[in-house]
Amino acid sequence: MTRIDAKFAALQAEGKKAFVAYIMAGDPDYATSLEVLKGLPAAGVDIIELGQPFTDPMADGPTIQLAGQRALDGGQTLQKTLDMATEFRKTDDTTPIVLMGYYNPIFSRGVEKFLVDAKAAGIDGLIVVDLPPEEDDELCIPAQKAGLNFIRLATPTTDDERLPTVLQNTSGFVYYVSITGITGAAAAQAADVAPEVARIKAKTDLPVIVGFGIRTPETSQSIASVADGCVVGSAIVGELASGKSVPEVLAFVKSLADGAHRA
């Protein structure tokens, strides 16, 4: 059982929904992002998504793209992202960390070496947005064998014919993208999301977490109420980009987490 599996089991026992927070590693700089990372659990975050910056982030909107560029300009590398996880694990051995990004940095490092290093750093799962199920032998299956969850995205365009393929080797949870398009775009609507979550849950026992388009405690609550939890990324990254202090950013995160936990 991974930390992700254990976290969902604990939340289910408490009758609570999950709040997942995304930050970009190295944004606005290494020290600040590490401070935010370490503060997320106390702000109510159940699972952390740690973004690995990449030069061509095709699935991301302007907010995440700019965060990635700032991180890269500041010298953030895959090794430094793993170093952040290692530092985090010195004081927190229970909060799951999902590394989210693109395949190129992993491929460049070498899959085998990457999996050994990620596991040693305390990474629990991977979301690699540009590796479709047809490429599962490339990273997904080796990752699962190494004890890492491989989390897949389902979208409004994932029809009933495609869904079983998407779910086939997925573990940890299913990330449902609430809107068609890039991160940070339109607002998510619970009325639209609810039937889609039900459709996915009819095909899998995995938790379904909804992301994209969640910026307020109210939306966090309404989306979490129709799923197993919600993810917020762009809104948190935007707070950092606006020059807010770490305590201010973490207070904002706590308001979103409280919303999800009220669901």
Side-chain angles (χ1 to χ4, degrees):
M1 181 182 271
T2 65
R3 287 187 187 93
I4 295 170
D5 301 328
K7 176 60 72 173
F8 278 112
L11 287 167
Q12 191 173 19
E14 294 173 39
K16 284 174 72 175
K17 301 300 179 76
F19 181 71
V20 184
Y22 169 98
I23 63 166
M24 177 67 74
D27 174 51
D29 55 67
Y30 182 90
T32 305
S33 64
L34 179 59
E35 191 180 348
V36 173
L37 178 68
K38 287 181 172 181
L40 291 175
V45 175
D46 299 301
I47 297 171
I48 297 166
E49 281 182 14
L50 187 59
Q52 169 58 35
F54 181 53
T55 51
D56 186 22
M58 60 188 181
D60 294 310
T63 302
I64 304 286
Q65 283 192 21
L66 289 168
Q69 197 55 56
R70 286 191 297 270
L72 291 170
D73 290 346
Q76 189 70 13
T77 61
L78 179 55
Q79 182 57 53
K80 285 186 176 180
T81 302
L82 295 177
D83 290 346
M84 283 179 66
T86 302
E87 281 298 313
F88 178 86
R89 286 282 170 241
K90 289 178 180 176
T91 53
D92 187 317
D93 195 41
T94 55
T95 306
I97 300 177
V98 175
L99 188 66
M100 184 171 187
Y102 297 82
Y103 184 46
N104 186 279
I106 296 169
F107 177 78
S108 297
R109 192 181 189 88
V111 168
E112 198 173 325
K113 176 171 170 48
F114 165 76
L115 291 174
V116 169
D117 294 345
K119 187 76 177 162
I123 300 294
D124 304 291
L126 304 174
I127 299 176
V128 183
V129 296
D130 55 347
L131 270 186
E134 287 75 15
E135 307 293 337
D136 274 358
D137 288 340
E138 194 81 25
L139 178 63
C140 171
I141 290 168
Q144 311 245 44
K145 285 180 179 171
L148 295 169
N149 289 126
F150 199 89
I151 296 139
R152 192 85 68 192
L153 276 64
T155 74
T157 59
T158 307
D159 60 20
D160 288 338
E161 190 177 342
R162 179 67 174 166
L163 187 58
T165 306
V166 169
L167 295 173
Q168 187 173 359
N169 291 314
T170 300
S171 67
F173 60 92
V174 179
Y175 186 138
Y176 178 68
V177 176
S178 65
I179 50 177
T180 305
I182 53 176
T183 57
Q189 303 293 332
D192 299 331
V193 168
E196 291 297 302
V197 170
R199 182 169 71 92
I200 296 166
K201 287 183 78 67
K203 303 286 185 186
T204 180
D205 293 330
L206 292 171
V208 179
I209 304 298
V210 177
F212 285 49
I214 302 169
R215 296 189 193 87
T216 66
E218 293 74 26
T219 312
S220 182
Q221 181 177 357
S222 67
I223 295 297
S225 71
V226 299
D228 295 301
C230 66
V231 185
V232 179
S234 293
I236 296 168
V237 171
E239 290 287 294
L240 268 169
S242 72
K244 298 275 179 70
S245 69
V246 171
E248 287 172 320
V249 172
L250 292 173
F252 175 66
V253 171
K254 186 177 186 307
S255 73
L256 296 164
D258 288 348
H261 292 149
R262 281 195 297 270

